[in-house]
């Protein structure tokens, strides 16, 4: 005998919720890395301005 459809639907929703939560955590981590890289680049540019006559 198979499991009731409602139980399977709940199990599927829990699995999907876990996948979405993992992807959300990964996205937040990526965003934090991008922000850190941008801040690092801005700090570098502040201390090392581009030379005159050189295209950026």
């Amino acid at each position: 005998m198979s499991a009731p459809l409602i139980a399977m639907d709940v199990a599927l929703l829990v699995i999907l919720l876990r996948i979405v939560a993992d992807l959300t955590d990964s996205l937040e981590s990526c965003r934090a890395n991008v922000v850190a890289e941008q801040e690092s680049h801005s700090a570098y540019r502040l201390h090392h301005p581009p030379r005159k006559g050189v295209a950026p």
Side-chain angles (χ1 to χ4, degrees):
M1 181 170 238
S2 64
L5 288 178
I6 293 174
M8 290 178 13
D9 289 345
V10 171
L12 182 60
L13 286 174
V14 169
I15 291 169
L16 290 174
L17 181 63
R18 181 63 193 175
I19 291 170
V20 168
D22 289 345
L23 290 173
T24 301
D25 290 345
S26 179
L27 179 61
E28 289 175 6
S29 174
C30 290
R31 285 181 177 163
N33 289 339
V34 167
V35 168
E37 184 67 27
Q38 288 174 336
E39 289 174 353
S40 173
H41 181 72
S42 294
Y44 177 83
R45 277 283 146 223
L46 183 63
H47 296 300
H48 301 91
R51 293 177 286 174
K52 291 184 179 183
V54 177

